[in-house]
Amino acid sequence: MSKKIIILNGSPRKSGNTAALISAFTTGAEEAGNQVTEFFLDSMNIRGCKGCFGGGKNPDRPCVQKDDMDKIYPVYKEAEIVVLATPLYYWTISGQLKCAFDRLFAVAECDPNYRNPPKECALLMAAEGSGFEETLYWYERLEKHLGWKSIGKVLCGGVMGVGDIEGNEKLEEARKLGASIQ
Ligand SMILES: Cc1cc2nc3c(=O)[nH]c(=O)nc-3n(C[C@H](O)[C@H](O)[C@H](O)COP(=O)(O)O)c2cc1C
């Protein structure tokens, strides 16, 4: 059975290492018959969460702020799998991804108990080094808090410049993760 997948791409580099992981993942996922929608967050107008706790009134446009998150909300609503894709920036996810993810809180606000819609999730990351521990801690806490289930993580260290990832075995790992989705 095909699944709907949303990818939030938090890298600012269109042809960077995160993009290569996404491309490999997408190839696998689409070949397995799934439907993938990617958002390149860096080129979108997405402001940070205001922490107003005033959202959740309109399920189609749940945030009080009106910006490009309104393009993401309907796709997020339909998606069964949420892929968080990001370079490692100072031991954590990029600001672009953090901004967008925080704004998904407005969807939880549609529920009287702030319950998040049940989803599966995956993590794709690129980094110069290999200091993924803090992000993994965050990801696992997030998974527990949201009540989501992770289907996999692809963490590619040792890549700095655009193109460094070429020929890296992690690309095949990302493709296989995509292809495993049925
Ligand atoms: C602001 C900034 C912070 C970074 N912080 C880290 C870091 O903490 N650890 C690391 O290994 N690499 C770090 N990097 C390197 C990137 O993670 C690496 O270049 C990655 O391949 C970029 O992915 P991209 O090509 O998808 O943009 C940093 C890069 C930038 C620009």
Side-chain angles (χ1 to χ4, degrees):
M1 206 182 69
S2 90
K3 288 197 170 160
K4 292 196 175 84
I5 302 168
I6 181 173
I7 301 180
L8 300 176
N9 179 356
S11 169
R13 302 202 291 192
K14 270 218 156 98
S15 307
N17 301 310
T18 306
L21 290 172
I22 290 171
S23 169
F25 172 89
T26 301
T27 299
E30 288 182 341
E31 277 174 6
N34 300 289
Q35 189 187 311
V36 179
T37 308
E38 178 191 345
F39 289 96
F40 185 69
L41 302 172
D42 192 62
S43 66
M44 299 175 76
N45 172 30
I46 297 175
R47 292 184 295 270
C49 174
K50 298 280 185 203
C52 68
F53 293 90
K57 299 192 171 63
N58 174 356
D60 295 327
R61 306 175 86 200
C63 188
V64 299
Q65 300 190 72
K66 299 302 164 212
D67 60 15
D68 283 345
M69 277 306 291
D70 285 337
K71 296 178 184 159
I72 292 181
Y73 288 127
V75 180
Y76 171 73
K77 190 176 170 188
E78 294 295 318
E80 291 145 293
I81 301 179
V82 181
V83 178
L84 305 178
T86 176
L88 183 69
Y89 278 2
Y90 295 113
W91 302 279
T92 186
I93 61 173
S94 71
Q96 288 89 335
L97 180 58
K98 184 72 168 80
C99 263
F101 203 88
D102 286 350
R103 295 281 303 284
L104 294 178
F105 177 66
V107 178
E109 285 185 294
C110 295
D111 183 276
N113 295 312
Y114 294 110
R115 264 193 302 259
N116 287 278
K119 311 264 183 207
E120 291 181 310
C121 56
L123 180 66
L124 304 180
M125 291 192 78
E128 178 192 11
S130 57
F132 294 109
E133 296 87 347
E134 289 80 1
T135 310
L136 288 177
Y137 177 76
W138 167 82
Y139 180 69
E140 278 154 27
R141 293 210 74 160
L142 189 76
E143 197 191 334
K144 237 181 236 163
H145 173 78
L146 301 178
W148 290 3
K149 185 179 170 348
S150 178
I151 60 161
K153 305 170 255 228
V154 180
L155 309 174
C156 183
V159 291
M160 175 72 168
V162 168
D164 282 357
I165 200 168
E166 217 174 292
N168 194 297
E169 60 188 20
K170 292 289 173 180
L171 293 174
E172 179 56 9
E173 199 178 311
R175 191 197 63 76
K176 279 191 180 151
L177 177 60
S180 72
I181 300 166
Q182 307 284 339

